[in-house]
Amino acid sequence: MGAYKYMEELWRHKQSDSIRFLNRVRAWEYRQRNKMVRCNRPLRTDKAHRLGYKAKQGYVVVRCGVRRGGRKRQNHRGMVWGKPKHQGISQLKFERNLQSVAEEKVGRKFSNLRVLNSYWINQDATMKYYEVILVDPSHEAIRSDAYINWICNPVHKHRECRGLTSAGRKSRGLRKKGHRANGIKGGSYRAAWLRRNTMRLKRFR
């Protein structure tokens, strides 16, 4: 087995004593630093390369921490002044996952870069930490690389805000293929419903 295979097996057993100890120490370090920090190199090299990272100019890795938990509604003293249906305050959940939230935070901070992908690295009782891979679309090393220069097109600006990254597609329910994806044919379940419930007639009939 190669070195990356051993690293993959290490990270696969997150409950082992060694990984638990390392993550506990790293979580303490992350708490002392800013929530968003640019890294010199990825923590999980094997995972980063599987998601498209290259150790060359134009690629940036940023660690981002996101607060865990639900999304409490910001109402004064918990009073809604509306129908009972809308009176929930504390047991509300955000529609997207925390990984896509981390991507969006990083994308807003590093607005001249494009978000390629991200992966989990650590978590504790209050925070989850992700590393986000970014690409510089104006760097010559990226523009001349046929494998990645698709991201230089302006249509890929802030793709993390529009649910086009892997984490964003997961929260949209687009990870399915085959017969299980019948409800989301055409991009989303709304698009599938609209296509099946719209009457289309020829102009001259």
Side-chain angles (χ1 to χ4, degrees), residues 15-88:
Q15 291 292 323
S16 64
D17 290 346
S18 55
I19 291 294
R20 285 177 65 185
F21 173 75
L22 279 173
N23 279 351
R24 195 160 66 242
V25 174
R26 284 173 180 151
W28 176 86
E29 181 195 348
Y30 297 163
R31 282 197 298 272
Q32 314 309 315
R33 306 186 69 177
N34 294 334
K35 294 290 185 291
M36 203 177 300
V37 179
R38 179 176 173 177
C39 309
N40 292 329
R41 58 182 63 86
L43 178 68
R44 300 174 62 182
T45 320
D46 57 323
K47 183 72 170 174
H49 280 276
R50 278 205 302 275
L51 296 180
Y53 172 79
K54 301 282 187 196
K56 69 175 194 177
Q57 291 180 329
Y59 285 85
V60 178
V61 176
V62 176
R63 182 178 67 242
C64 180
V66 186
R67 190 168 290 276
R68 297 174 65 179
R71 182 163 168 147
K72 188 175 179 181
R73 182 171 284 151
Q74 298 291 315
N75 277 17
H76 179 59
R77 294 168 66 186
M79 293 183 290
V80 178
W81 308 112
K83 299 179 180 178
K85 174 185 172 65
H86 300 117
Q87 282 177 351

Side-chain angles (χ1 to χ4, degrees), residues 72-105:
K72 188 175 179 181
R73 182 171 284 151
Q74 298 291 315
N75 277 17
H76 179 59
R77 294 168 66 186
M79 293 183 290
V80 178
W81 308 112
K83 299 179 180 178
K85 174 185 172 65
H86 300 117
Q87 282 177 351
I89 296 294
S90 60
Q91 294 189 2
L92 307 176
K93 278 76 178 176
F94 190 44
E95 271 196 3
R96 290 188 290 130
N97 51 43
L98 293 179
Q99 186 171 347
S100 69
V101 174
E103 289 178 349
E104 184 178 348
K105 283 175 179 284

Side-chain angles (χ1 to χ4, degrees), residues 1-202:
M1 293 194 301
Y4 279 3
K5 193 66 177 175
Y6 282 107
M7 292 179 67
E8 184 184 344
E9 287 298 318
L10 271 174
W11 278 98
R12 186 169 286 166
H13 298 92
K14 297 181 177 63
Q15 291 292 323
S16 64
D17 290 346
S18 55
I19 291 294
R20 285 177 65 185
F21 173 75
L22 279 173
N23 279 351
R24 195 160 66 242
V25 174
R26 284 173 180 151
W28 176 86
E29 181 195 348
Y30 297 163
R31 282 197 298 272
Q32 314 309 315
R33 306 186 69 177
N34 294 334
K35 294 290 185 291
M36 203 177 300
V37 179
R38 179 176 173 177
C39 309
N40 292 329
R41 58 182 63 86
L43 178 68
R44 300 174 62 182
T45 320
D46 57 323
K47 183 72 170 174
H49 280 276
R50 278 205 302 275
L51 296 180
Y53 172 79
K54 301 282 187 196
K56 69 175 194 177
Q57 291 180 329
Y59 285 85
V60 178
V61 176
V62 176
R63 182 178 67 242
C64 180
V66 186
R67 190 168 290 276
R68 297 174 65 179
R71 182 163 168 147
K72 188 175 179 181
R73 182 171 284 151
Q74 298 291 315
N75 277 17
H76 179 59
R77 294 168 66 186
M79 293 183 290
V80 178
W81 308 112
K83 299 179 180 178
K85 174 185 172 65
H86 300 117
Q87 282 177 351
I89 296 294
S90 60
Q91 294 189 2
L92 307 176
K93 278 76 178 176
F94 190 44
E95 271 196 3
R96 290 188 290 130
N97 51 43
L98 293 179
Q99 186 171 347
S100 69
V101 174
E103 289 178 349
E104 184 178 348
K105 283 175 179 284
V106 173
R108 290 186 190 281
K109 178 82 170 175
F110 298 83
S111 55
N112 62 321
L113 305 179
R114 306 273 163 85
V115 174
L116 179 62
N117 227 319
S118 63
Y119 52 92
W120 177 95
I121 54 167
N122 209 335
Q123 69 185 49
D124 57 18
T126 57
M127 304 292 293
K128 278 198 177 186
Y129 297 96
Y130 299 94
E131 277 187 356
V132 182
I133 305 168
L134 300 141
V135 180
D136 186 356
S138 57
H139 199 289
E140 191 55 40
I142 301 297
R143 300 181 75 87
S144 59
D145 187 346
Y147 287 103
I148 194 63
N149 61 7
W150 55 268
I151 209 167
C152 299
N153 293 338
V155 73
H156 294 295
K157 290 179 182 177
H158 291 289
R159 52 200 296 269
E160 73 282 352
C161 296
R162 297 177 284 134
L164 302 182
T165 59
S166 182
R169 286 172 59 81
K170 181 181 181 181
S171 61
R172 291 166 59 200
L174 300 181
R175 284 274 181 90
K176 300 181 176 65
K177 285 187 176 181
H179 69 90
R180 295 188 305 156
N182 287 336
I184 53 171
K185 287 281 179 68
S188 66
Y189 74 90
R190 291 187 185 89
W193 180 89
L194 186 66
R195 190 179 69 251
R196 289 165 182 156
N197 289 272
T198 303
M199 182 181 289
R200 294 179 188 81
L201 300 170
K202 287 187 175 181

